[in-house]
Amino acid sequence: MAATSTTANASILNGSVNPNGQATTVHFEWGENAGMAGAVSTPDQSVGNGVSDASFTASLTGLASSTTYYYRVVATNAAGTTYGAIQGFTTATPASAPTVQSLDATGITSGAATLNGNVIPNGPATTAHFEWGTSPTLADATPTVDNAVGSGSTGVSVSASLSGLSQSTVYYCRLVATNPYGTSYGSIKSFTTEVAYSPPSVQTLGATGIAAGAATLNGVADPKGLATVAYFQWGTSPSLADATPTADNAIGSGTAGVPVAAALSGLAPATTYRYRLVAVNPAGTTYGAIAGFTTAEADAPTASTLEPTGVSAGSATLNATVNPNGLATTARIVIGVDSGLAGAREVGEQPVGSGTSDVAMAVPVDDLTPSTTYYYRVVASNANGSSSGEILCFTTPAGEEPSQGIIFSKMFTSYGGSGVFTIDFHPIAEHGDGGHIAIRIMDTPTTYFEFSTRSASDPTRGSFIKVRRGVVVDSAEFTHPYSQGGSYAIRITMDQSQATVEAFGGTATLSSNDQSNPLVYFEVWTSDQDAYYDNIRMEPGFLDDFSADTTGSYSLFFISGSDSTFTYDAAGKRAKVTAGGS
C-alpha cells in the first residue's frame, strides 16, 4: 500500500496481510536501494490468525529530505514467509527562498528587448520581477512588474518585455524572486540594442572653380551608419530631367557628414547648369536640393614658352604650358633658325583638352644640326582665338661620333593599362663603363613609359618619364649607376595613378598624372654597352626566358655601326646584345 503523511523527514508505511488461519507476524523492510539491498526492518507486529486481510502501519522518522525511499511488507507464520511488492516514496523538499536563474535577453532591436529567467518557488507562494538599467552593477535599476509564479518545486519560466530603449546601448538585467523565506537574485546579464538605420542625409552646396568649361560640384552626405555611395546629377534642365550622373563616390559607413565633390569639364561657356547631390545606402536613397551655376564666357587659350631640356648636338626637348581656358584647344611648337621665326616649321601638334588649368607640353625634336642656334615658341588655338608664347632660343653643341647600339622590341600577348614589366640585365665587361640602357613600355611612339640610365644632356643622370601623346606628363630623376660584370633585375610597375621603377639599388616614382597609357609592346635600347638579357616578363600575359634555343621573333633596329648584334647565347640560355664592339 502507498506511504502516507510523507514530509521532509518522516512518512507512514501502510500494508495489509491475510494470515490464512495461522498466527502471523509482520514488519516492513525499507531503505534507499531500489533492490532492497541493505534494507532496515521495522519491529515485528502480530496480525492474528484470521482468514481476511488485516491492515497495519509503521512510522518512519529522521529521514533525509528530497530523497526517494523504497519499502515492502514481510509476513511470517508457521507455513513460511511472504514478501510484498516493493514500493517507493520521496520525502519533501524543505521550504526555502526561491531558486532563480537569469537567462539571455531575446527579441533585441534598436529600442526593445525581452528579459528571460527561471524560478523554482521551493514551496511557498512566490513572486518574481526583473531589475534592469545601464549600470553594470544595476545601481538605480528599474524593476519590472511583479509576476506570481506559484508555490511549486519545479522551474517556472519568467519573461518581461522592455520598450523605449536607446539604440546601440548596453543594458544590464537580472531576475529577482521573493517568498516568505527570502529574496534571491540571479546573475547580472547584459545585452546591446541594435543601431536604428535610416537613409543617408544630404546637403547640396554651392559649386566652386567655375570657369568657361568647367566647375566643381560640392555637397555633404551623412551615411547614417550604413555603407553609402554618393554622386551628383547634373544637366541644363531646371528639374534635372535626363540628368547626367557623376561617378559613384564611396563615403563609408560613419555617422557624420562627409564632404563630396565632383569636377566637371567640357561644359559649354555662358551656360546655366543645375545639379544636386544624391546618396544611397541599404536603407534608401536621398536627394539633395537642386542648385545651379552659370559658366563663364570662354577666352582664347593662354600659352607660355619654357626653357628647353635635353639639348644635344642633334636633339632637344621643347617645353611649354597651355591653359585651354575652357574650350577644346590644340597646341604646337614653331621652331626655326630665324630670330623672328621667318620660315619656321611646326612640330608636335597635339590636343591639350578643354580644362581651365595649365597643361604641360614636352615636344622632342631629334633632327637638329650641331653648333646651331634655334628659335622657338608655343602656339595654341581654340574656337575663341589663338595665342603665342615668348620666343626663346638655344644653341646645339658640336657633334660627336655616333654611339653604337641596338634596339630590340616585341609585342605583348595581352594588352592593358597596367602591369609589371621585369627584365634581367647582365652588362659585360668587354666594352668598358659608361654604357646606356633604356626601356620603353609603349602604346605608340608618342605614348609610353621610359626608364633610361643616361640622358643626352647629362650622361651621369638617368630618368623615369611618362609621355602622353608626345607630352611628358610626369618625370623623376634616376641617379643610380650600374657596373659591368654585375647582374641586375629591373622592375617597372605601371599604373595610371602611379608608376615605379626599381633598378641598381634605387627607386623612382611617377604619380602626378593619371591619363591612360595602354601597354602594347616594349623596346629595350642598348648603346655603348654589351650585355646579356634574360627572364623578360610582363605580368600578366608575356614571358620570354630564352629557355628555347632561339631569341624568338624580335624586331631589331641598329642605332649605328655594323658591329651591333642581337644573338642567342646557347651556353647561358639567354640573349646577347653587342652594341659598340668588344
Side-chain angles (χ1 to χ4, degrees):
M1 300 175 64
T4 56
S5 301
T6 301
T7 65
N9 306 110
S11 185
I12 296 176
L13 307 182
N14 300 290
S16 66
V17 173
N18 187 330
N20 289 328
Q22 298 199 45
T24 299
T25 59
V26 295
H27 67 267
F28 292 96
E29 291 181 342
W30 64 278
E32 296 182 37
N33 185 275
M36 304 307 298
V40 178
S41 298
T42 62
D44 283 338
Q45 302 179 47
S46 173
V47 292
N49 57 358
V51 293
S52 61
D53 287 349
S55 298
F56 64 98
T57 64
S59 296
L60 303 182
T61 59
L63 303 181
S65 62
S66 303
T67 303
T68 298
Y69 289 91
Y70 301 91
Y71 66 96
R72 67 183 174 187
V73 174
V74 181
T76 303
N77 62 20
T81 298
T82 301
Y83 295 86
I86 297 174
Q87 300 195 60
F89 66 90
T90 300
T91 53
T93 299
S96 64
T99 302
V100 300
Q101 180 184 15
S102 301
L103 301 177
D104 291 334
T106 57
I108 301 168
T109 66
S110 60
T114 298
L115 310 184
N116 301 292
N118 189 279
V119 178
I120 301 175
N122 288 333
T126 300
T127 60
H129 66 271
F130 292 91
E131 294 180 340
W132 64 277
T134 56
S135 167
T137 61
L138 289 174
D140 300 323
T142 301
T144 62
V145 175
D146 277 341
N147 190 346
V149 293
S151 57
S153 59
T154 58
V156 179
S157 296
V158 184
S159 63
S161 296
L162 304 182
S163 60
L165 304 180
S166 299
Q167 65 169 320
S168 191
T169 301
V170 179
Y171 286 91
Y172 300 87
C173 60
R174 67 181 171 191
L175 181 59
V176 182
T178 303
N179 68 18
Y181 288 89
T183 298
S184 300
Y185 296 85
S187 60
I188 295 176
K189 295 280 190 176
S190 68
F191 64 91
T192 302
T193 52
E194 297 178 346
V195 176
Y197 293 113
S198 60
S201 65
V202 300
Q203 181 182 9
T204 307
L205 302 179
T208 56
I210 301 169
T216 298
L217 310 183
N218 301 288
V220 175
D222 183 342
K224 298 296 185 182
L226 290 176
T228 299
V229 295
Y231 62 92
F232 292 91
Q233 293 177 333
W234 64 279
T236 55
S237 167
S239 64
L240 288 176
D242 301 322
T244 299
T246 61
D248 283 345
N249 188 346
I251 60 171
S253 56
T255 56
V258 178
V260 184
L264 305 182
S265 61
L267 304 180
T271 301
T272 298
Y273 288 89
R274 312 287 180 177
Y275 67 98
R276 67 181 171 191
L277 180 60
V278 183
V280 182
N281 71 17
T285 300
T286 306
Y287 297 86
I290 295 176
F293 65 91
T294 301
T295 52
E297 296 285 346
D299 294 324
T302 304
S304 300
T305 312
L306 303 179
E307 293 294 328
T309 55
V311 178
S312 67
S315 64
T317 298
L318 310 183
N319 302 301
T321 60
V322 176
N323 187 328
N325 288 329
L327 286 178
T329 298
T330 59
R332 59 202 180 278
I333 300 292
V334 178
I335 183 172
V337 295
D338 180 78
S339 61
L341 291 176
R345 62 188 174 115
E346 296 180 351
V347 296
E349 182 171 343
Q350 59 195 264
V352 290
S354 57
T356 57
S357 58
D358 286 346
V359 177
M361 290 181 62
V363 178
V365 181
D366 58 6
D367 57 353
L368 305 181
T369 303
S371 303
T372 302
T373 299
Y374 288 90
Y375 300 85
Y376 71 101
R377 68 179 173 191
V378 63
V379 179
S381 304
N382 65 21
N384 271 21
S386 299
S387 62
S388 301
E390 178 186 3
I391 296 177
L392 300 181
C393 68
F394 64 93
T395 301
T396 55
E400 300 176 354
E401 289 297 321
S403 296
Q404 296 203 34
I406 188 171
I407 300 174
F408 63 94
S409 65
K410 195 168 187 177
M411 301 291 289
F412 296 135
T413 54
S414 63
Y415 306 150
S418 62
V420 180
F421 180 84
T422 55
I423 186 170
D424 291 350
F425 172 53
H426 309 277
I428 306 172
E430 297 172 1
H431 188 67
D433 290 338
H436 173 216
I437 175 176
I439 300 172
R440 279 190 181 183
I441 314 299
M442 307 178 68
D443 174 28
T444 68
T446 62
T447 300
Y448 54 86
F449 294 91
E450 180 183 273
F451 161 65
S452 177
T453 60
R454 186 176 72 187
S455 68
S457 60
D458 187 351
T460 66
R461 294 182 181 274
S463 63
F464 184 39
I465 61 174
K466 180 180 180 181
V467 179
R468 180 69 178 154
R469 295 180 180 173
V471 178
V472 177
V473 294
D474 198 7
S475 63
E477 188 177 84
F478 191 90
T479 58
H480 300 271
Y482 66 86
S483 298
Q484 276 74 9
S487 294
Y488 303 96
I490 300 173
R491 178 184 179 90
I492 306 175
T493 303
M494 290 150 293
D495 186 87
Q496 304 314 325
S497 60
Q498 178 169 294
T500 302
V501 62
E502 302 168 69
F504 315 136
T507 301
T509 301
L510 309 178
S511 58
S512 66
N513 182 275
D514 61 2
Q515 291 175 288
S516 178
N517 267 22
L519 310 177
V520 178
Y521 68 104
F522 71 89
E523 291 185 351
V524 179
W525 301 10
T526 309
S527 58
D528 297 331
Q529 174 66 69
D530 300 341
Y532 292 107
Y533 291 97
D534 197 4
N535 295 318
I536 305 173
R537 180 186 297 271
M538 181 68 186
E539 299 175 359
F542 177 86
L543 169 64
D544 205 337
D545 60 3
F546 300 107
S547 58
D549 293 337
T550 175
T551 57
S553 56
Y554 281 84
S555 298
L556 305 177
F557 175 72
F558 298 100
I559 301 172
S560 176
S562 59
D563 290 340
S564 297
T565 61
F566 181 73
T567 58
Y568 177 71
D569 172 38
K573 298 291 185 182
R574 54 190 177 177
K576 181 178 182 181
V577 166
T578 303
S582 299

